[in-house]
Amino acid sequence: MSSSTDLGRPDPDRTVVPSRDDRPVSDRGDTVCVIGAGASGLTAVKNLREAGFGVDCYERETGVGGAWNWRHDRSPVYASTHLISSRPFTQFPDFPMPDDWPDYPHHSQLLSYFERYADHFDLRQHVWFGTEVVRVEPVEGDRWDVTTRSTGGYGPERTSRYAAVVVANGHNWSPKLPRYEGLEEFRGEVMHASSYKDPAQLRGKRVLVVGAGNTGCDIAVEAAQQASRCWHSTRRGYWYAPKYVLGRPADQVNDTLLALRVPLRVRQWLYHWTLRLTVGDLTRFGMPKPDHRVYETHPIANSQLVYYVGHGEVTPVPDVARFDDRAVELTDGRRIDPELVVFATGYLPRFEFLAGRVLGDEDGSGRPRLWLNAFTAGHPTLAVVGLVQPDSGIFAISHWQSVLFARLLTLRATRPELAAVFDRKVRAGLGERYSAKVKDSTRHWFEVGHADYLRALQRALHELEDGK
């Protein structure tokens, strides 16, 4: 089952049963369907297999790695992309990265890491590459009909029935595009950061970068080196953390404080004190003062942006007010004349193959109501893995989410009364947050503090097995 060319091949392990609309359905028995072969999908396949389950994983691209495989159409990765969380806080807990790798590995190293992970645990044989999921529908008995086809819409659709489904399709592939008055009339070049791949796209141009996330800061830094001029537009002020503090990766220093259970207010004070010593008051460069406390937005780890702002190579400007055919007007009344506008405005999680109500998104807001950002009420055999924006690496979180789901599925067969207790906890815990107070935005609603979240997962694992 390793390529889309296998889609028409008869499978002796499948039993054909009718669906509700008389489509032929191949019954896969107790097999679990995993959607996506990126970091979260691969660890889900691995942990489900170790728990004894058969697994069919569907991957729309032709290789593993998900967002970290920059050859994939939907990958947001660009040539200079590196981790923003350090190596020990990014790796899977049961598959460490090589000790001789840098603190912040390059994206090409991450891809090789996933390929070695897949080979070490023999995962590729369970993946249908070049196959996209069209629909996922609940059916009687807490089972699921999953309809697939070859990526791009070629060939016939095929529907298979599964005992459970893991959604691991990622959340950094559907661009969030802003709307501005006059944007359609603007004669310059406009792109979303998802289309940015190489600094050559900026060379010699007047560039406006809109957005102050980690990607926006990276592109602004590259524009400072390649463009004839660079403006960096942000709606609000942010805290720009250096990647190294006291000679160590910043997230390792922060994690030491978390391990010591240092209260949030004390950690915020220490963070402010560290920034005053290392970065200073950014308002003197014309950058806006943050309107929030540290840890109330996703951390921005960039040691170079302030350097280039201080050298005059990046000009901080406020939000865009409107466009006309040749210029951009800012909210302070200034007008600038970029040739290229890059919207580094983030991405929106999308589950185009699932009805919104299945994940509790009744109002169509795009924000599922989940417990532990993974489990939805009324569908105990469905889990979302990797729908978190942590203040550290995500791979360990995805690993333990899938371990929890595998144990839940096992208990549904061996100790259904314990699984029923877990289902009640899901209903009671929908919408719980696992971070300090954060801004209410499309970017931050699934923000989690990794230490708080991992403790919550640990409690859920213990309570699941204890029946509490």
Side-chain angles (χ1 to χ4, degrees):
M1 297 188 301
S2 59
S3 80
S4 59
T5 58
D6 294 323
L7 286 176
R9 184 185 65 194
D11 189 331
D13 296 329
R14 295 172 183 256
T15 302
V16 178
V17 297
S19 70
R20 285 174 294 186
D21 55 3
D22 294 328
R23 294 192 313 266
V25 176
S26 297
D27 193 334
R28 296 292 287 136
D30 293 333
T31 302
V32 180
C33 171
V34 175
I35 303 172
S40 297
L42 287 176
T43 195
V45 173
K46 193 271 293 185
N47 287 316
L48 286 162
R49 288 294 301 150
E50 288 185 348
F53 293 97
V55 179
D56 288 344
C57 175
Y58 295 109
E59 168 55 55
R60 71 185 311 276
E61 303 289 353
T62 56
V64 301
W68 288 99
N69 191 330
W70 80 326
R71 294 186 292 269
H72 291 175
D73 290 343
R74 291 179 171 182
S75 172
V77 164
Y78 38 94
S80 62
T81 301
H82 287 72
L83 283 175
I84 60 170
S85 55
S86 66
R87 173 169 45 86
F89 289 93
T90 304
Q91 63 197 8
F92 291 115
D94 55 355
F95 194 76
M97 295 182 186
D99 291 338
D100 60 353
W101 278 16
D103 291 328
Y104 297 100
H106 186 255
H107 71 80
S108 60
Q109 292 174 299
L110 264 292
L111 178 57
S112 71
Y113 174 69
F114 294 130
E115 290 173 337
R116 280 188 280 178
Y117 182 88
D119 292 338
H120 179 78
F121 293 108
D122 197 19
L123 305 180
R124 294 178 195 266
Q125 63 172 313
H126 306 291
V127 183
W128 295 74
F129 291 107
T131 306
E132 62 183 353
V133 174
V134 180
R135 289 182 301 278
V136 176
E137 304 164 293
V139 294
E140 188 177 356
D142 291 326
R143 293 168 65 77
W144 299 87
D145 281 356
V146 178
T147 301
T148 59
R149 66 185 177 197
S150 295
T151 301
Y154 302 105
E157 294 184 354
R158 184 180 68 179
T159 302
S160 302
R161 184 161 295 172
Y162 290 96
V165 170
V166 173
V167 177
N169 64 326
H171 57 79
N172 285 323
W173 59 267
S174 179
K176 182 176 69 173
L177 291 167
R179 297 179 181 178
Y180 290 107
E181 178 186 341
L183 180 59
E184 295 80 6
E185 285 74 44
F186 181 62
R187 295 185 180 181
E189 184 181 357
V190 176
M191 71 165 65
H192 187 270
S194 58
S195 300
Y196 176 74
K197 297 299 176 184
D198 190 271
Q201 294 171 267
L202 312 172
R203 193 165 297 152
K205 298 178 181 179
R206 300 185 303 276
V207 178
L208 169 64
V209 181
V210 179
N214 286 290
T215 298
C217 292
D218 282 351
I219 296 175
V221 165
E222 297 196 346
Q225 302 168 67
Q226 300 289 337
S228 61
R229 184 162 188 188
C230 174
W231 297 275
H232 187 204
S233 169
T234 61
R235 289 180 300 171
R236 61 168 70 96
Y238 289 91
W239 303 100
Y240 298 94
K243 280 196 164 183
Y244 286 91
V245 176
L246 303 176
R248 295 176 57 197
D251 61 350
Q252 296 181 23
V253 175
N254 181 56
D255 207 73
T256 300
L257 299 177
L258 290 171
L260 295 172
R261 303 295 182 102
V262 175
L264 174 63
R265 288 306 177 110
V266 176
R267 287 191 290 117
Q268 288 175 324
W269 180 86
L270 289 170
Y271 195 120
H272 281 271
W273 177 78
T274 302
L275 290 184
R276 282 199 299 271
L277 290 177
T278 58
V279 179
D281 181 8
L282 297 183
T283 60
R284 69 188 183 91
F285 297 119
M287 301 173 78
K289 182 178 180 181
D291 61 355
H292 57 278
R293 297 179 65 86
V294 172
Y295 302 121
E296 291 181 358
T297 60
H298 191 69
I300 298 172
N302 193 299
S303 299
Q304 295 180 290
L305 181 68
V306 176
Y307 174 88
Y308 283 105
V309 170
H311 283 70
E313 303 295 338
V314 175
T315 303
V317 295
D319 197 9
V320 172
R322 60 187 59 84
F323 287 77
D324 60 32
D325 60 344
R326 298 184 184 277
V328 177
E329 183 177 332
L330 306 171
T331 53
D332 63 359
R334 278 184 288 172
R335 290 173 62 82
I336 58 177
D337 60 340
E339 299 170 86
L340 169 64
V341 178
V342 182
F343 288 121
T345 46
Y347 299 84
L348 294 172
R350 287 185 61 194
F351 308 96
E352 50 198 352
F353 43 77
L354 266 174
R357 66 180 182 279
V358 173
L359 295 178
D361 181 20
E362 301 290 352
D363 58 2
S365 64
R367 301 186 184 189
R369 279 180 52 79
L370 305 170
W371 183 55
L372 292 172
N373 287 49
F375 302 100
T376 183
H379 297 289
T381 54
L382 174 70
V384 182
V385 172
L387 185 60
V388 290
Q389 185 119 279
D391 56 358
S392 188
I394 190 175
F395 305 160
I397 287 176
S398 296
H399 167 86
W400 289 113
Q401 285 178 326
S402 57
V403 166
L404 176 59
F405 188 54
R407 293 188 183 177
L408 172 63
L409 294 180
T410 299
L411 287 179
R412 281 179 57 82
T414 61
R415 299 285 302 279
E417 71 281 4
L418 298 186
V421 173
F422 186 88
D423 293 345
R424 290 196 290 272
K425 288 185 68 66
V426 170
R427 295 178 185 276
L430 292 176
E432 279 184 0
R433 301 297 294 268
Y434 308 94
S435 66
K437 176 185 176 184
V438 295
K439 290 287 182 180
D440 183 21
S441 71
T442 55
R443 181 185 180 198
H444 292 106
W445 68 266
F446 54 110
E447 186 85 11
V448 301
H450 75 282
D452 290 340
Y453 185 83
L454 286 171
R455 290 189 191 108
L457 278 178
Q458 184 180 41
R459 285 195 301 272
L461 278 164
H462 289 165
E463 291 171 358
L464 176 62
E465 295 175 347
D466 293 342
K468 294 181 180 178

